[in-house]
Amino acid sequence: MLERDHHDLLILMTKGITSSEAALRCACIEACRSFLVCDQGQIWLLQNEEVTSFIMLALLDQSSYVVAEACRLFANLIEFNLTTLMDVMDPSNLIRHLLQPGTADSKQTVAALDFCWTLLHSFISLLCLSDRIVRARVVEILSILFIWDKDPLQTLNLETCHSDTNKAYMVMLKTVKGMIKEAKKLDDLMTAISLLDASFALLTQINQTDINPLSDMAYHVLYALISLCVNHEEGGEQDEFRQVKKFIDTNRTKANLLQLLLRTINTLVRLDTRLIQESNFSDIVFNVLENKMLYSDSRVLKSALILLTSTLWHANRVEHILSKTIESLVKMSDDIGLDCKSLIMVLDTLNTLLGHDQIGLLGHRLAESLSLKFLDTEWDVRDASVHFVGQLFEAPFVKTKIQFALAFNLPLDVFERIHDSEAYVRASAVEVLQMMMASKEGWDYVQQHKVSRELAAKLPSLLHDTEAFVRRAALDAIICLVKNRFCQGMLMEIKDQPNSLK
């Protein structure tokens, strides 16, 4: 019935699938894919050898769109379990050919990888290819394989009989160490680290009592490489990987490697928090936070701060580490060369640390440093500082954060910025006032201080600001005040001004 009713259209599609126009080839393959959902469409494909043979060859097409559409069609064959059509359009031999190093360009190889869930036996060797995109895709597929496969070695054709997850992890660790030693450039080294990070998924399938020696081995490898990056060479594992030094001879290459190492070790210690108690663990973070050359790269700084905040709660001597952390971060924020993006990351970390119940009196130095930021010549620094105070009053309210803000009168510094020369800063300051009014402690503080009481009373005057987002912030603050508190004493100014909200 399909061929009878649409005979001419099917002839055009058969011709179009071999067209010189990539868009037409892609559209015809897409149409064939839609045929898979009905019996008549499947019968037509089975009877049309010209079309099915071309679809198999579409994996070699120069157009990435055609290749992608062909991959989607093959994926649908598996998803719908169309065994008869799979026998006719079996691309396995072609895909195996594409996955051999040096036999295809990167586009064709990546396309084949998208279909390799069923053909994983031969693709592990692609980790040795020079194409970074292909290697990244291989690692991505392995990371998912390690999560779901109970016997990844057999799937990867690295074992002919059943093997347990412990052995799979050891094989991957040995592979990683070999790749590090044989690396010829930085990309090779980073691929090895990415593979190690992916292999940590295997640890989640191992009994907790068996994890310790396995995670220890990975930790020592990562610590050795981090030590090389921060120029603390003490022998041992560092000597084993000394050749890595030639790949990190510039600040840029060192930062590229270090940020990946910090992310990877963070993955590991979250699986095995026991490693946080290692005597040299805190050195990993503080060696970065105390080295301007390292933390000046925002990627390294971000990775170091994430590692710090995600592991601090599990550490021994928390008060000592908190004190050292606050000291390092405050010193960093005092650095006039620190860009605003990095300052925001530092302030976000400090915001997290202030939620710790052992923060105690450590905030004095922080408050002192922060008060100077409100007067900085750069408006984005002032704005970031105002936002930081606002975060302390965000719901759900954290008592230690609010107490810190009020104890050091940080809101008063913010209120002075309501008349800042930069509109963004003015709007942010009004938003902080609104957030304080929504909190009981913040509202009590507003009521106790003449400056803040006067500001709340004069909120309507800000509806005449020259910038729309300042007027909007003022309106939101008034709504919050009326809704949550009361508006007695608020001075409503009715003026016919061009910038007023009408």
mmCIF file of all heavy atoms in Angstrom, residues 171-213:
data_model
loop_
_atom_site.group_PDB
_atom_site.id
_atom_site.type_symbol
_atom_site.label_atom_id
_atom_site.label_comp_id
_atom_site.label_asym_id
_atom_site.label_seq_id
_atom_site.Cartn_x
_atom_site.Cartn_y
_atom_site.Cartn_z
ATOM 1 N N VAL A 171 43.704 -2.991 36.246
ATOM 2 C CA VAL A 171 44.130 -2.932 34.849
ATOM 3 C C VAL A 171 44.092 -1.497 34.346
ATOM 4 O O VAL A 171 45.015 -1.028 33.664
ATOM 5 C CB VAL A 171 43.243 -3.845 33.972
ATOM 6 C CG1 VAL A 171 43.499 -3.577 32.487
ATOM 7 C CG2 VAL A 171 43.501 -5.306 34.295
ATOM 8 N N MET A 172 43.026 -0.760 34.688
ATOM 9 C CA MET A 172 42.914 0.635 34.257
ATOM 10 C C MET A 172 44.001 1.490 34.900
ATOM 11 O O MET A 172 44.587 2.360 34.258
ATOM 12 C CB MET A 172 41.523 1.189 34.615
ATOM 13 C CG MET A 172 40.399 0.638 33.761
ATOM 14 S SD MET A 172 40.605 1.013 32.001
ATOM 15 C CE MET A 172 40.951 -0.637 31.357
ATOM 16 N N LEU A 173 44.282 1.246 36.192
ATOM 17 C CA LEU A 173 45.323 2.016 36.874
ATOM 18 C C LEU A 173 46.687 1.756 36.244
ATOM 19 O O LEU A 173 47.481 2.680 36.036
ATOM 20 C CB LEU A 173 45.346 1.662 38.361
ATOM 21 C CG LEU A 173 46.326 2.457 39.236
ATOM 22 C CD1 LEU A 173 46.019 3.949 39.165
ATOM 23 C CD2 LEU A 173 46.262 1.972 40.675
ATOM 24 N N LYS A 174 46.948 0.509 35.913
ATOM 25 C CA LYS A 174 48.210 0.159 35.253
ATOM 26 C C LYS A 174 48.288 0.815 33.876
ATOM 27 O O LYS A 174 49.350 1.320 33.469
ATOM 28 C CB LYS A 174 48.321 -1.364 35.119
ATOM 29 C CG LYS A 174 49.621 -1.835 34.485
ATOM 30 C CD LYS A 174 49.668 -3.357 34.393
ATOM 31 C CE LYS A 174 50.965 -3.822 33.726
ATOM 32 N NZ LYS A 174 51.010 -5.313 33.622
ATOM 33 N N THR A 175 47.163 0.830 33.171
ATOM 34 C CA THR A 175 47.111 1.480 31.857
ATOM 35 C C THR A 175 47.395 2.969 31.981
ATOM 36 O O THR A 175 48.144 3.547 31.180
ATOM 37 C CB THR A 175 45.724 1.271 31.209
ATOM 38 O OG1 THR A 175 45.468 -0.129 31.075
ATOM 39 C CG2 THR A 175 45.647 1.937 29.849
ATOM 40 N N VAL A 176 46.804 3.592 32.990
ATOM 41 C CA VAL A 176 46.997 5.031 33.215
ATOM 42 C C VAL A 176 48.465 5.338 33.496
ATOM 43 O O VAL A 176 49.045 6.268 32.905
ATOM 44 C CB VAL A 176 46.103 5.517 34.372
ATOM 45 C CG1 VAL A 176 46.529 6.907 34.835
ATOM 46 C CG2 VAL A 176 44.647 5.510 33.963
ATOM 47 N N LYS A 177 49.078 4.574 34.380
ATOM 48 C CA LYS A 177 50.480 4.818 34.708
ATOM 49 C C LYS A 177 51.372 4.621 33.493
ATOM 50 O O LYS A 177 52.338 5.370 33.282
ATOM 51 C CB LYS A 177 50.917 3.902 35.861
ATOM 52 C CG LYS A 177 50.197 4.201 37.172
ATOM 53 C CD LYS A 177 50.644 3.278 38.298
ATOM 54 C CE LYS A 177 52.007 3.644 38.815
ATOM 55 N NZ LYS A 177 52.352 2.896 40.045
ATOM 56 N N GLY A 178 51.035 3.627 32.673
ATOM 57 C CA GLY A 178 51.797 3.421 31.449
ATOM 58 C C GLY A 178 51.646 4.582 30.485
ATOM 59 O O GLY A 178 52.623 5.017 29.853
ATOM 60 N N MET A 179 50.410 5.109 30.368
ATOM 61 C CA MET A 179 50.166 6.247 29.476
ATOM 62 C C MET A 179 50.906 7.489 29.957
ATOM 63 O O MET A 179 51.401 8.279 29.143
ATOM 64 C CB MET A 179 48.659 6.523 29.385
ATOM 65 C CG MET A 179 47.876 5.451 28.652
ATOM 66 S SD MET A 179 46.075 5.713 28.724
ATOM 67 C CE MET A 179 45.925 7.242 27.783
ATOM 68 N N ILE A 180 50.992 7.664 31.282
ATOM 69 C CA ILE A 180 51.712 8.825 31.828
ATOM 70 C C ILE A 180 53.196 8.737 31.491
ATOM 71 O O ILE A 180 53.818 9.709 31.046
ATOM 72 C CB ILE A 180 51.507 8.910 33.356
ATOM 73 C CG1 ILE A 180 50.039 9.212 33.679
ATOM 74 C CG2 ILE A 180 52.420 9.976 33.959
ATOM 75 C CD1 ILE A 180 49.721 9.170 35.163
ATOM 76 N N LYS A 181 53.761 7.575 31.670
ATOM 77 C CA LYS A 181 55.193 7.392 31.422
ATOM 78 C C LYS A 181 55.541 7.494 29.936
ATOM 79 O O LYS A 181 56.634 7.941 29.576
ATOM 80 C CB LYS A 181 55.648 6.038 31.972
ATOM 81 C CG LYS A 181 55.586 5.929 33.482
ATOM 82 C CD LYS A 181 55.958 4.528 33.948
ATOM 83 C CE LYS A 181 55.834 4.380 35.460
ATOM 84 N NZ LYS A 181 56.140 3.011 35.927
ATOM 85 N N GLU A 182 54.600 7.074 29.078
ATOM 86 C CA GLU A 182 54.869 7.067 27.639
ATOM 87 C C GLU A 182 54.342 8.307 26.931
ATOM 88 O O GLU A 182 54.450 8.412 25.702
ATOM 89 C CB GLU A 182 54.245 5.818 27.015
ATOM 90 C CG GLU A 182 54.845 4.510 27.533
ATOM 91 C CD GLU A 182 54.080 3.291 27.053
ATOM 92 O OE1 GLU A 182 53.190 3.468 26.178
ATOM 93 O OE2 GLU A 182 54.356 2.184 27.542
ATOM 94 N N ALA A 183 53.796 9.254 27.692
ATOM 95 C CA ALA A 183 53.221 10.452 27.080
ATOM 96 C C ALA A 183 54.283 11.229 26.299
ATOM 97 O O ALA A 183 55.413 11.393 26.750
ATOM 98 C CB ALA A 183 52.605 11.343 28.159
ATOM 99 N N LYS A 184 53.870 11.711 25.138
ATOM 100 C CA LYS A 184 54.785 12.481 24.295
ATOM 101 C C LYS A 184 54.432 13.961 24.280
ATOM 102 O O LYS A 184 55.196 14.790 23.794
ATOM 103 C CB LYS A 184 54.766 11.928 22.870
ATOM 104 C CG LYS A 184 55.332 10.509 22.746
ATOM 105 C CD LYS A 184 55.311 10.027 21.303
ATOM 106 C CE LYS A 184 56.020 8.677 21.168
ATOM 107 N NZ LYS A 184 55.399 7.630 21.994
ATOM 108 N N LYS A 185 53.256 14.287 24.786
ATOM 109 C CA LYS A 185 52.833 15.686 24.882
ATOM 110 C C LYS A 185 51.800 15.820 26.002
ATOM 111 O O LYS A 185 51.318 14.818 26.541
ATOM 112 C CB LYS A 185 52.280 16.195 23.555
ATOM 113 C CG LYS A 185 51.146 15.394 22.965
ATOM 114 C CD LYS A 185 50.737 15.976 21.613
ATOM 115 C CE LYS A 185 49.554 15.232 21.014
ATOM 116 N NZ LYS A 185 49.857 13.832 20.713
ATOM 117 N N LEU A 186 51.455 17.054 26.315
ATOM 118 C CA LEU A 186 50.552 17.310 27.438
ATOM 119 C C LEU A 186 49.178 16.686 27.210
ATOM 120 O O LEU A 186 48.563 16.174 28.150
ATOM 121 C CB LEU A 186 50.406 18.826 27.654
ATOM 122 C CG LEU A 186 49.502 19.253 28.818
ATOM 123 C CD1 LEU A 186 50.041 18.727 30.149
ATOM 124 C CD2 LEU A 186 49.349 20.770 28.855
ATOM 125 N N ASP A 187 48.681 16.706 25.982
ATOM 126 C CA ASP A 187 47.372 16.114 25.698
ATOM 127 C C ASP A 187 47.332 14.635 26.063
ATOM 128 O O ASP A 187 46.316 14.136 26.566
ATOM 129 C CB ASP A 187 47.027 16.294 24.210
ATOM 130 C CG ASP A 187 46.377 17.635 23.934
ATOM 131 O OD1 ASP A 187 46.050 18.326 24.909
ATOM 132 O OD2 ASP A 187 46.212 17.989 22.761
ATOM 133 N N ASP A 188 48.431 13.926 25.786
ATOM 134 C CA ASP A 188 48.496 12.500 26.146
ATOM 135 C C ASP A 188 48.374 12.324 27.659
ATOM 136 O O ASP A 188 47.682 11.426 28.147
ATOM 137 C CB ASP A 188 49.817 11.895 25.668
ATOM 138 C CG ASP A 188 49.970 11.958 24.155
ATOM 139 O OD1 ASP A 188 48.943 12.090 23.476
ATOM 140 O OD2 ASP A 188 51.113 11.875 23.675
ATOM 141 N N LEU A 189 49.051 13.185 28.383
ATOM 142 C CA LEU A 189 49.037 13.120 29.847
ATOM 143 C C LEU A 189 47.638 13.412 30.394
ATOM 144 O O LEU A 189 47.154 12.718 31.291
ATOM 145 C CB LEU A 189 50.048 14.127 30.398
ATOM 146 C CG LEU A 189 50.238 14.172 31.908
ATOM 147 C CD1 LEU A 189 50.694 12.829 32.446
ATOM 148 C CD2 LEU A 189 51.248 15.262 32.271
ATOM 149 N N MET A 190 46.978 14.397 29.825
ATOM 150 C CA MET A 190 45.644 14.759 30.310
ATOM 151 C C MET A 190 44.614 13.681 29.969
ATOM 152 O O MET A 190 43.659 13.473 30.725
ATOM 153 C CB MET A 190 45.230 16.114 29.725
ATOM 154 C CG MET A 190 46.126 17.255 30.216
ATOM 155 S SD MET A 190 45.641 18.888 29.651
ATOM 156 C CE MET A 190 44.153 19.174 30.602
ATOM 157 N N THR A 191 44.821 12.991 28.848
ATOM 158 C CA THR A 191 43.940 11.864 28.533
ATOM 159 C C THR A 191 44.089 10.758 29.574
ATOM 160 O O THR A 191 43.101 10.142 29.998
ATOM 161 C CB THR A 191 44.272 11.301 27.134
ATOM 162 O OG1 THR A 191 44.026 12.306 26.145
ATOM 163 C CG2 THR A 191 43.417 10.075 26.817
ATOM 164 N N ALA A 192 45.311 10.510 30.008
ATOM 165 C CA ALA A 192 45.556 9.495 31.034
ATOM 166 C C ALA A 192 44.855 9.859 32.342
ATOM 167 O O ALA A 192 44.231 9.000 32.989
ATOM 168 C CB ALA A 192 47.057 9.341 31.263
ATOM 169 N N ILE A 193 44.926 11.132 32.731
ATOM 170 C CA ILE A 193 44.272 11.573 33.966
ATOM 171 C C ILE A 193 42.755 11.459 33.833
ATOM 172 O O ILE A 193 42.056 11.054 34.765
ATOM 173 C CB ILE A 193 44.673 13.017 34.312
ATOM 174 C CG1 ILE A 193 46.192 13.139 34.434
ATOM 175 C CG2 ILE A 193 44.005 13.457 35.612
ATOM 176 C CD1 ILE A 193 46.822 12.194 35.412
ATOM 177 N N SER A 194 42.231 11.805 32.663
ATOM 178 C CA SER A 194 40.789 11.686 32.437
ATOM 179 C C SER A 194 40.340 10.234 32.511
ATOM 180 O O SER A 194 39.256 9.929 33.027
ATOM 181 C CB SER A 194 40.417 12.273 31.071
ATOM 182 O OG SER A 194 40.717 13.656 31.009
ATOM 183 N N LEU A 195 41.172 9.328 32.004
ATOM 184 C CA LEU A 195 40.854 7.898 32.089
ATOM 185 C C LEU A 195 40.863 7.434 33.543
ATOM 186 O O LEU A 195 40.010 6.636 33.962
ATOM 187 C CB LEU A 195 41.854 7.083 31.271
ATOM 188 C CG LEU A 195 41.684 5.560 31.307
ATOM 189 C CD1 LEU A 195 40.312 5.155 30.781
ATOM 190 C CD2 LEU A 195 42.785 4.881 30.503
ATOM 191 N N LEU A 196 41.800 7.940 34.327
ATOM 192 C CA LEU A 196 41.846 7.593 35.745
ATOM 193 C C LEU A 196 40.581 8.071 36.451
ATOM 194 O O LEU A 196 39.987 7.341 37.258
ATOM 195 C CB LEU A 196 43.085 8.221 36.392
ATOM 196 C CG LEU A 196 43.275 7.959 37.889
ATOM 197 C CD1 LEU A 196 43.406 6.472 38.170
ATOM 198 C CD2 LEU A 196 44.491 8.716 38.421
ATOM 199 N N ASP A 197 40.163 9.289 36.139
ATOM 200 C CA ASP A 197 38.940 9.836 36.722
ATOM 201 C C ASP A 197 37.730 8.965 36.356
ATOM 202 O O ASP A 197 36.872 8.675 37.202
ATOM 203 C CB ASP A 197 38.728 11.262 36.227
ATOM 204 C CG ASP A 197 37.577 11.951 36.920
ATOM 205 O OD1 ASP A 197 36.426 11.711 36.522
ATOM 206 O OD2 ASP A 197 37.808 12.730 37.874
ATOM 207 N N ALA A 198 37.679 8.525 35.099
ATOM 208 C CA ALA A 198 36.569 7.669 34.657
ATOM 209 C C ALA A 198 36.582 6.323 35.371
ATOM 210 O O ALA A 198 35.525 5.768 35.701
ATOM 211 C CB ALA A 198 36.646 7.468 33.143
ATOM 212 N N SER A 199 37.784 5.811 35.640
ATOM 213 C CA SER A 199 37.896 4.491 36.278
ATOM 214 C C SER A 199 37.437 4.498 37.732
ATOM 215 O O SER A 199 37.164 3.439 38.305
ATOM 216 C CB SER A 199 39.343 3.991 36.199
ATOM 217 O OG SER A 199 40.191 4.737 37.039
ATOM 218 N N PHE A 200 37.322 5.688 38.345
ATOM 219 C CA PHE A 200 36.855 5.745 39.731
ATOM 220 C C PHE A 200 35.418 5.245 39.854
ATOM 221 O O PHE A 200 34.974 4.895 40.953
ATOM 222 C CB PHE A 200 36.955 7.176 40.269
ATOM 223 C CG PHE A 200 38.371 7.646 40.456
ATOM 224 C CD1 PHE A 200 38.682 9.000 40.427
ATOM 225 C CD2 PHE A 200 39.402 6.747 40.652
ATOM 226 C CE1 PHE A 200 39.978 9.438 40.599
ATOM 227 C CE2 PHE A 200 40.715 7.181 40.819
ATOM 228 C CZ PHE A 200 41.002 8.529 40.790
ATOM 229 N N ALA A 201 34.684 5.225 38.743
ATOM 230 C CA ALA A 201 33.324 4.675 38.771
ATOM 231 C C ALA A 201 33.346 3.212 39.177
ATOM 232 O O ALA A 201 32.374 2.698 39.751
ATOM 233 C CB ALA A 201 32.658 4.842 37.404
ATOM 234 N N LEU A 202 34.457 2.519 38.896
ATOM 235 C CA LEU A 202 34.574 1.108 39.283
ATOM 236 C C LEU A 202 34.615 0.948 40.799
ATOM 237 O O LEU A 202 34.198 -0.080 41.337
ATOM 238 C CB LEU A 202 35.838 0.501 38.658
ATOM 239 C CG LEU A 202 35.865 0.428 37.123
ATOM 240 C CD1 LEU A 202 37.262 0.062 36.635
ATOM 241 C CD2 LEU A 202 34.839 -0.580 36.622
ATOM 242 N N LEU A 203 35.145 1.966 41.488
ATOM 243 C CA LEU A 203 35.238 1.889 42.951
ATOM 244 C C LEU A 203 33.865 1.829 43.608
ATOM 245 O O LEU A 203 33.720 1.300 44.709
ATOM 246 C CB LEU A 203 36.022 3.086 43.494
ATOM 247 C CG LEU A 203 37.505 3.162 43.116
ATOM 248 C CD1 LEU A 203 38.137 4.434 43.666
ATOM 249 C CD2 LEU A 203 38.261 1.934 43.614
ATOM 250 N N THR A 204 32.865 2.405 42.939
ATOM 251 C CA THR A 204 31.513 2.395 43.516
ATOM 252 C C THR A 204 30.910 0.993 43.520
ATOM 253 O O THR A 204 29.922 0.747 44.213
ATOM 254 C CB THR A 204 30.581 3.336 42.724
ATOM 255 O OG1 THR A 204 30.477 2.878 41.367
ATOM 256 C CG2 THR A 204 31.131 4.756 42.716
ATOM 257 N N GLN A 205 31.491 0.074 42.750
ATOM 258 C CA GLN A 205 30.986 -1.303 42.696
ATOM 259 C C GLN A 205 31.763 -2.238 43.636
ATOM 260 O O GLN A 205 31.494 -3.432 43.679
ATOM 261 C CB GLN A 205 31.085 -1.838 41.261
ATOM 262 C CG GLN A 205 30.351 -1.009 40.229
ATOM 263 C CD GLN A 205 30.485 -1.584 38.837
ATOM 264 O OE1 GLN A 205 30.503 -2.801 38.653
ATOM 265 N NE2 GLN A 205 30.584 -0.729 37.838
ATOM 266 N N ILE A 206 32.735 -1.683 44.356
ATOM 267 C CA ILE A 206 33.596 -2.493 45.221
ATOM 268 C C ILE A 206 33.205 -2.279 46.675
ATOM 269 O O ILE A 206 32.824 -1.171 47.078
ATOM 270 C CB ILE A 206 35.079 -2.117 45.001
ATOM 271 C CG1 ILE A 206 35.467 -2.358 43.541
ATOM 272 C CG2 ILE A 206 35.996 -2.895 45.933
ATOM 273 C CD1 ILE A 206 36.860 -1.887 43.178
ATOM 274 N N ASN A 207 33.295 -3.314 47.477
ATOM 275 C CA ASN A 207 32.995 -3.196 48.904
ATOM 276 C C ASN A 207 33.885 -2.142 49.550
ATOM 277 O O ASN A 207 35.073 -2.028 49.232
ATOM 278 C CB ASN A 207 33.214 -4.542 49.610
ATOM 279 C CG ASN A 207 32.207 -5.583 49.154
ATOM 280 O OD1 ASN A 207 31.086 -5.251 48.769
ATOM 281 N ND2 ASN A 207 32.611 -6.848 49.183
ATOM 282 N N GLN A 208 33.309 -1.390 50.487
ATOM 283 C CA GLN A 208 34.031 -0.290 51.119
ATOM 284 C C GLN A 208 35.323 -0.763 51.773
ATOM 285 O O GLN A 208 36.335 -0.061 51.752
ATOM 286 C CB GLN A 208 33.130 0.376 52.163
ATOM 287 C CG GLN A 208 33.665 1.695 52.713
ATOM 288 C CD GLN A 208 33.783 2.768 51.664
ATOM 289 O OE1 GLN A 208 32.927 2.875 50.788
ATOM 290 N NE2 GLN A 208 34.842 3.559 51.725
ATOM 291 N N THR A 209 35.330 -1.952 52.314
ATOM 292 C CA THR A 209 36.527 -2.465 52.995
ATOM 293 C C THR A 209 37.668 -2.755 52.014
ATOM 294 O O THR A 209 38.831 -2.766 52.401
ATOM 295 C CB THR A 209 36.188 -3.759 53.764
ATOM 296 O OG1 THR A 209 35.562 -4.691 52.861
ATOM 297 C CG2 THR A 209 35.248 -3.457 54.914
ATOM 298 N N ASP A 210 37.311 -2.983 50.745
ATOM 299 C CA ASP A 210 38.332 -3.285 49.740
ATOM 300 C C ASP A 210 38.810 -2.049 48.984
ATOM 301 O O ASP A 210 39.770 -2.131 48.202
ATOM 302 C CB ASP A 210 37.782 -4.305 48.726
ATOM 303 C CG ASP A 210 37.405 -5.623 49.386
ATOM 304 O OD1 ASP A 210 38.067 -5.980 50.384
ATOM 305 O OD2 ASP A 210 36.465 -6.290 48.903
ATOM 306 N N ILE A 211 38.151 -0.917 49.205
ATOM 307 C CA ILE A 211 38.476 0.290 48.435
ATOM 308 C C ILE A 211 39.805 0.902 48.869
ATOM 309 O O ILE A 211 40.570 1.411 48.036
ATOM 310 C CB ILE A 211 37.335 1.330 48.569
ATOM 311 C CG1 ILE A 211 36.154 0.917 47.716
ATOM 312 C CG2 ILE A 211 37.805 2.711 48.148
ATOM 313 C CD1 ILE A 211 35.000 1.886 47.767
ATOM 314 N N ASN A 212 40.093 0.853 50.182
ATOM 315 C CA ASN A 212 41.242 1.590 50.721
ATOM 316 C C ASN A 212 42.552 1.395 49.954
ATOM 317 O O ASN A 212 43.162 2.375 49.504
ATOM 318 C CB ASN A 212 41.441 1.240 52.198
ATOM 319 C CG ASN A 212 40.292 1.750 53.059
ATOM 320 O OD1 ASN A 212 39.370 2.391 52.558
ATOM 321 N ND2 ASN A 212 40.345 1.465 54.338
ATOM 322 N N PRO A 213 43.037 0.175 49.767
ATOM 323 C CA PRO A 213 44.314 0.034 49.048
ATOM 324 C C PRO A 213 44.227 0.469 47.584
ATOM 325 O O PRO A 213 45.212 0.970 47.024
ATOM 326 C CB PRO A 213 44.613 -1.472 49.155
ATOM 327 C CG PRO A 213 43.292 -2.119 49.413
ATOM 328 C CD PRO A 213 42.521 -1.139 50.211
#
